[in-house]
Amino acid sequence: MPSTPLVLLPGLLNTRRVYEHQVEALQDIADITIPELWQDDTIGAMADAVLAIAPPRFALGGFSMGGYVAFEMFRRAPARIDRIALIDTQAIPDSTESRTRRHALIEQTRLGRFHGVHSTLLPQIIHPSRLKDSAVVQPIVDMAKEIGADGFVNQQQAILGRADSRPLLVEIEVPAVVIVGRQDMATPLPRSQEMAADIANAQLVILEECGHVSPLERPAEVSAALRRWLTQ
């Protein structure tokens, strides 16, 4: 069986390492490209950069912020995208409260107060059962350090400027999978349920005892869901 070209987009403060388990698990069926998304400060620029290096036609997956970029790529080049996976992400724009919080984080970072992913932040992004699991925690901490303050500011500004993708959902007719941790607090379950309901050909996969970072928290289940989606 020929390999499917697959582009996987990381989230906020993530490098390609967020998908390390999926790369290994899917290498027999997918030719995987994972671009880095911290050099640009708009979702549109990120989307253009990925489209410039992506194969002519490909399957597309986006985790968290990567989902926002995936939506923008679909807007710009729908004919190139054969199928789409939306992992712990959302179509809805930020609330006023979220925007205020992001602006505050940008200001603190510019004042030299960027500390990566601190232990106090982890309970907001991963399931309580994984807080002492170094296989989950260490990659999250290491990736944030690698991206650093400038990359963090770029990504937060891009997220603030993203479009409302809810009107786009009904235009997506390619095979889709929406994957979400049941205890995801960053992009809660109802937002994934809404996306799956509005996309014509979407499967919803809910991962139990899982927070926001499902590719690391539930790697085998995420890989299995992506395999079904790629081969259906």
Side-chain angles (χ1 to χ4, degrees):
M1 181 172 156
S3 282
T4 300
L6 171 60
V7 176
L8 291 174
L9 305 175
L12 175 69
L13 287 179
N14 297 156
T15 67
R16 59 180 293 113
R17 193 173 167 192
V18 75
Y19 290 117
E20 60 189 354
H21 299 284
Q22 288 71 47
V23 169
E24 187 173 345
L26 300 172
Q27 60 185 346
D28 61 319
I29 60 164
D31 182 11
I32 300 175
T33 302
I34 306 175
E36 304 293 10
L37 296 177
W38 70 74
Q39 292 90 347
D40 295 301
D41 64 358
T42 70
I43 296 294
M46 291 176 181
D48 285 341
V50 178
L51 287 166
I53 63 162
R57 287 182 67 88
F58 53 94
L60 178 62
F63 163 63
S64 193
M65 182 193 76
Y68 311 154
V69 181
F71 284 134
E72 190 59 36
M73 290 171 64
F74 198 91
R75 252 184 221 100
R76 292 172 187 228
R80 291 178 61 187
I81 298 167
D82 286 331
R83 53 192 67 217
I84 192 164
L86 301 164
I87 307 167
D88 293 281
T89 190
Q90 58 192 350
I92 193 169
D94 276 354
S95 65
T96 303
E97 180 188 352
S98 293
R99 292 181 65 80
T100 301
R101 191 165 58 245
R102 286 194 204 281
H103 282 299
L105 287 168
I106 290 170
E107 286 310 307
Q108 289 171 14
T109 302
R110 285 178 169 153
L111 291 170
R113 295 181 191 145
F114 176 74
H115 305 297
V117 177
H118 198 266
S119 58
T120 55
L121 180 65
L122 288 169
Q124 297 172 43
I125 57 173
I126 62 176
H127 190 270
S129 65
R130 310 310 291 275
L131 290 171
K132 300 274 195 283
D133 186 344
S134 61
V136 175
V137 172
Q138 201 57 51
I140 292 171
V141 172
D142 291 346
M143 289 187 293
K145 275 189 192 150
E146 184 179 339
I147 288 175
D150 290 345
F152 179 65
V153 169
N154 280 346
Q155 292 182 327
Q156 289 286 15
Q157 288 182 315
I159 292 169
L160 278 165
R162 75 185 190 274
D164 183 347
S165 291
R166 286 172 295 181
L168 182 72
L169 299 174
V170 294
E171 297 176 26
I172 298 175
E173 296 179 345
V174 296
V177 63
V178 180
I179 302 170
V180 63
R182 188 176 291 282
Q183 288 79 27
D184 184 344
M185 292 197 289
T187 53
L189 172 60
R191 299 187 189 171
S192 284
Q193 292 169 321
E194 288 160 9
M195 289 191 298
D198 283 348
I199 297 171
N201 193 8
Q203 296 285 320
L204 176 65
V205 177
I206 301 170
L207 305 173
E208 303 300 334
E209 294 191 8
C210 182
H212 182 59
V213 194
S214 64
L216 290 173
E217 293 184 66
R218 292 286 173 213
E221 290 95 322
V222 171
S223 298
L226 292 176
R227 179 177 287 273
R228 288 193 301 273
W229 161 74
L230 284 168
T231 56
Q232 71 189 43

